[in-house]
Amino acid sequence: MTRALLEQRVLRDVDVVARAGLDVETFLAEAMASIGRAVPHAAACVALVDPSTLLLTGTLKFGALYGQDAHDHEWGLREYGDTEPTAFRELAHRAVPAVGTRLEDPGSARLNDFMRPRYGFTDELRVVMRDQGQVWGAAAMFRAGNDPAFTHAEVALLSALSETFSIGLRLGLLSQLGQAPQPPACGPAVVIVGRDDAISSMSAGAEQRLSELKVTETQAAATGLVAALVGAARRYARGEEAHPPRARVRTRTGMWFTLHASPMNAGNGHGTGDVVITIDEARPPEIVPLVVAAFDLTERERAVTERVLQGSDTKEIAAALHVSSYTVQDHLKSVFEKASVHSRRELIARVYFDQYVPRMGTDVGPNGWFASTAS
């Protein structure tokens, strides 16, 4: 089989599994196996990210990296605390979504000072998974020993797969929304990370919540996620980021948590003090935009959906958007199809994924949270 035919087959195969409605883990396993035929690699790592903040929310590893979690803490600190032109957050804003590290940045400290001595990797091919202007994940593939460096052709193939990868991750997220979550622990949990970047103390319930961030047995532990928050918080403390880091993460029980990281010495320009990480149940205003974005709605469809979630009827929506009731119904039909539902009630339940449904109908406080919960 010629190289061109092989690449076309890989593109087709990954597109098929991306649109099959598979869960994220199954989709990525199928996609990475297919890509390996055209882009041989010794290992790969896929980072799941919050599309609004690009913060890490989960990690899956393949090949020689599978089960190798001992250095995840250092990786998270480097990836989100240092500045490199091939870092995922930098790549997310570039026109070309993939890069070969030795091709573009052969002096990369991440590759030469971390990947090579820790794992024996000699090159890295990186791609962000982006469509409609939003990044849902990123992948890094590695070569080791005497393997050749990644080529421009291989970088181009991964660039062509960026949007397809993103679609697979979005649909994978939606495939898991029907799972019934377990009741959350009461109140937020707090993790304090010291100057040495190690956890110094945790509040009651924090260890349990950290364990829930490892969604499946094949997913890496939350070590890298915590380190990424710490690294980003230190950048914020040094004045290199405009906002303190935040990530929305779905847990193994089906709940959504929001993680915030706050440096104790923000604004002093050093970023070397303690970092406080707060883990709390996500509020509806924090999660609804993420889920609606995963449906891949148009701007007008999003506007209609927002008003449905607010309880507006067809006439009220039509008046607010200055369109006819028939146009609203057309938009709703499209929304129902994309969300795989048949009614407004089903749409509301799907967007709120049962985490908030038992409390719907109760008062909502000024902070966007339910003032009281159902017993």
Side-chain angles (χ1 to χ4, degrees):
M1 183 181 297
T2 67
R3 176 73 189 181
L5 288 176
L6 178 59
E7 290 184 353
Q8 288 301 314
R9 181 172 179 178
V10 170
L11 289 169
R12 184 185 67 245
D13 289 351
V14 176
D15 185 69
V16 169
V17 295
R19 300 176 189 278
L22 304 174
D23 63 85
V24 169
E25 184 179 9
T26 303
F27 159 64
L28 288 174
E30 294 283 346
M32 296 307 295
S34 180
I35 291 170
R37 300 199 305 270
V39 185
H41 51 276
C45 178
V46 177
L48 310 178
V49 304
D50 184 321
S52 70
T53 64
L54 302 180
L55 259 292
L56 187 70
T57 62
T59 307
L60 292 96
K61 300 177 182 179
F62 305 88
L65 272 178
Y66 179 75
Q68 302 296 315
D69 301 341
H71 302 295
D72 286 6
H73 185 72
E74 183 180 354
W75 178 88
L77 291 171
R78 285 178 173 270
E79 183 69 33
Y80 286 92
D82 297 339
T83 301
E84 287 206 34
T86 56
F88 286 142
R89 66 178 179 277
E90 302 297 333
L91 193 56
H93 302 294
R94 293 169 55 165
V96 178
V99 64
T101 301
R102 280 174 59 183
L103 284 172
E104 178 162 324
D105 186 23
S108 166
R110 182 188 62 253
L111 178 62
N112 297 315
D113 300 339
F114 176 66
M115 290 298 178
R116 191 186 298 266
R118 298 290 187 275
Y119 303 103
F121 298 148
T122 56
D123 197 15
E124 179 183 31
L125 194 165
R126 295 189 141 208
V127 60
V128 290
M129 302 168 181
R130 180 177 66 200
D131 73 300
Q132 302 296 323
Q134 290 191 304
V135 174
W136 294 85
M141 283 167 272
F142 302 94
R143 284 185 175 156
N146 295 322
D147 292 343
F150 289 105
T151 66
H152 289 289
E154 290 169 328
V155 172
L157 176 60
L158 266 294
S159 292
L161 286 166
S162 172
E163 181 176 343
T164 307
F165 259 125
S166 182
I167 291 170
L169 292 185
R170 285 196 293 100
L171 295 181
L173 169 67
L174 297 178
S175 75
Q176 299 171 314
L177 293 184
Q179 301 173 4
Q182 300 297 316
C186 295
V190 175
V191 177
I192 299 178
V193 178
R195 293 173 178 268
D196 60 354
D197 296 322
I199 293 176
S200 59
S201 60
M202 293 189 291
S203 68
E207 187 172 2
Q208 173 63 30
R209 289 198 168 186
L210 288 175
S211 70
E212 291 174 4
L213 300 180
K214 179 180 167 72
V215 176
T216 68
E217 291 305 316
T218 57
Q219 184 170 328
T223 307
L225 192 161
V226 170
L229 285 164
V230 172
R234 297 208 184 287
R235 286 175 57 87
Y236 171 68
R238 295 194 299 266
E240 298 171 10
E241 298 289 342
H243 306 285
R246 173 184 64 89
R248 298 162 293 182
V249 185
R250 187 171 171 82
T251 71
R252 70 166 71 212
T253 63
M255 298 294 297
W256 284 87
F257 289 162
T258 301
L259 283 70
H260 298 267
S262 302
M264 296 296 289
N265 59 348
N268 70 0
H270 300 299
T272 56
D274 292 353
V275 173
V276 178
I277 298 175
T278 305
I279 309 171
D280 200 4
E281 183 185 0
R283 273 57 172 163
E286 295 170 317
I287 298 304
V288 169
L290 184 149
V291 177
V292 171
F295 290 145
D296 193 25
L297 305 181
T298 65
E299 183 177 348
R300 185 49 60 91
E301 288 168 352
R302 291 190 187 195
V304 170
T305 301
E306 289 173 1
R307 284 165 174 78
V308 169
L309 297 176
Q310 294 167 4
S312 301
D313 61 26
T314 299
K315 289 184 178 180
E316 291 170 333
I317 297 173
L321 300 182
H322 305 291
V323 297
S324 70
S325 296
Y326 295 107
T327 299
V328 171
Q329 292 293 355
D330 286 340
H331 287 314
L332 276 175
K333 181 179 179 181
S334 179
V335 170
F336 291 167
E337 182 177 350
K338 291 180 178 180
S340 299
V341 299
H342 300 92
S343 67
R344 294 179 184 227
R345 181 181 295 275
E346 288 183 14
L347 176 64
I348 292 170
R350 184 150 174 75
V351 171
Y352 285 116
F353 38 80
D354 296 332
Q355 181 165 342
Y356 311 120
V357 168
R359 284 164 283 185
M360 291 181 67
T362 63
D363 293 334
V364 178
N367 65 347
W369 192 232
F370 297 98
S372 61
T373 58
S375 59

